[in-house]
């Protein structure tokens, strides 16, 4: 699910399977990264974040991986559920800076 | 806590009309932000306020003005709406200091300019 301009990438996953959503970030100076989940008609909801001094961070059913060498971020969701269906955005910033830059998002659909 | 609240939820304007989008947060956050979200795109920053009494331009400020009324409230004004401003507008807030970087978002205002 790489961001590819104006068309929202999509990913369909069978319920119960694991999903991986990818994101290429743009600024090599960014040192803070965050994943948001946005359900239809709602605002973005925080999922998990990671700082550049880490390459992996785990939450409940979610894991974020950071590869600074190739400026790549991924979100792994384990044992997907229907409620995981949403658009997922990665975002990057420089710690202390006010500006958070968003990727274009990936639409995840969980197939029952 | 209600978190970040926005009013109105929906609005239809005619070209040239003005309106103010309201945002309030009850988390005692220092920083507040206005974003717009267009189809197939991520959120783009319009304006932000790092603290009460200060505002700064973001990526797409043209056609908008903001007011940080107090620590809780941050409003976005369209003086003369244009069809290009049809979008979904999100307000967010963040607690500065102590390593807090996460922005928390409101439910959005859906604006249609005819």
């Amino acid at each position: 699910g790489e961001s590819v301009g104006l068309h929202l990438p999509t990913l369909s996953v069978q319920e119960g399977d694991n999903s991986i959503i990818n994101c290429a970030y743009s600024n090599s100076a960014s040192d803070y990264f965050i994943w948001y989940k946005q359900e239809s008609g709602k605002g973005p909801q925080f999922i998990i974040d990671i700082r550049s001094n880490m390459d992996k961070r785990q939450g409940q059913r979610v894991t974020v991986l950071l590869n600074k060498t190739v400026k790549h971020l991924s979100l792994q969701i384990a044992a997907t559920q229907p409620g995981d269906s949403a658009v997922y955005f990665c975002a990057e910033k420089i710690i202390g800076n006010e500006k958070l830059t968003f990727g274009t998002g990936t639409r995840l659909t969980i197939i029952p | 806590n209600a978190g970040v609240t926005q009013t109105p939820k929906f609005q239809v304007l005619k070209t040239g009309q003005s309106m103010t989008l309201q945002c309030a947060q009850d988390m005692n956050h220092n920083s507040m932000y206005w974003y717009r979200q267009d189809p197939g795109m991520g959120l783009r920053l319009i304006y932000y306020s790092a603290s009460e009494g200060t505002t700064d331009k973001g990526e797409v400020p043209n056609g908008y003005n903001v007011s940080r009324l107090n620590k809780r409230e941050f409003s976005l004004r369209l003086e003369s709406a244009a069809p290009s401003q049809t979008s979904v507008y999100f307000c967010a807030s963040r607690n500065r200091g102590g390593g807090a970087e996460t922005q928390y978002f409101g439910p959005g205002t859906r604006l249609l300019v005819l």
Side-chain angles (χ1 to χ4, degrees):
Chain A
E2 292 286 347
S3 296
V4 285
L6 295 179
H7 300 287
L8 197 63
T10 58
L11 177 65
S12 296
V13 175
Q14 204 74 33
E15 182 179 354
D17 287 352
N18 299 334
S19 68
I20 300 176
I21 301 171
N22 296 303
C23 175
Y25 66 91
S26 57
N27 188 352
S28 57
S30 294
D31 53 4
Y32 176 79
F33 306 88
I34 188 167
W35 281 99
Y36 284 96
K37 172 186 180 183
Q38 186 176 26
E39 297 173 277
S40 181
K42 296 184 178 180
Q45 176 188 359
F46 169 82
I47 303 174
I48 191 168
D49 59 0
I50 189 168
R51 294 176 183 246
S52 59
N53 60 352
M54 303 174 71
D55 52 22
K56 180 179 179 179
R57 190 163 187 228
Q58 289 183 290
Q60 189 177 16
R61 284 201 306 119
V62 294
T63 300
V64 56
L65 299 178
L66 174 63
N67 185 331
K68 296 181 287 292
T69 303
V70 294
K71 294 192 289 185
H72 185 267
L73 198 65
S74 68
L75 177 70
Q76 301 177 2
I77 305 174
T80 53
Q81 304 167 357
D84 294 331
S85 292
V87 176
Y88 290 81
F89 292 96
C90 67
E92 61 180 298
K93 74 188 297 279
I94 297 171
I95 290 173
N97 194 314
E98 292 290 345
K99 296 181 182 180
L100 186 63
T101 301
F102 283 79
T104 54
T106 296
R107 183 178 301 282
L108 176 65
T109 300
I110 306 303
I111 304 165
Chain B
N1 284 355
V4 180
T5 57
Q6 295 182 234
T7 55
K9 287 186 169 59
F10 304 95
Q11 185 70 49
V12 179
L13 292 178
K14 294 180 180 178
T15 297
Q17 287 185 317
S18 62
M19 79 161 295
T20 299
L21 283 66
Q22 307 288 353
C23 174
Q25 52 90 10
D26 62 1
M27 297 175 282
N28 201 34
H29 285 174
N30 306 99
S31 298
M32 297 186 73
Y33 311 83
W34 276 105
Y35 291 87
R36 61 177 288 172
Q37 184 177 35
D38 300 303
M41 299 181 73
L43 282 75
R44 292 183 294 167
L45 183 64
I46 304 171
Y47 269 95
Y48 66 95
S49 170
S51 61
E52 187 178 349
T54 68
T55 61
D56 284 285
K57 294 178 181 179
E59 182 185 352
V60 288
N62 291 346
Y64 305 96
N65 285 300
V66 290
S67 294
R68 183 73 183 268
L69 304 169
N70 47 55
K71 192 172 186 180
R72 287 187 66 248
E73 298 171 291
F74 187 38
S75 62
L76 178 71
R77 182 159 178 84
L78 287 69
E79 289 291 351
S80 179
S84 61
Q85 294 178 303
T86 292
S87 189
V88 183
Y89 291 85
F90 290 100
C91 178
S93 70
R94 176 175 80 96
N95 192 22
R96 299 175 69 208
E101 299 290 336
T102 305
Q103 292 184 19
Y104 296 91
F105 286 82
T109 294
R110 283 145 187 82
L111 176 66
L112 173 63
V113 183
L114 301 174

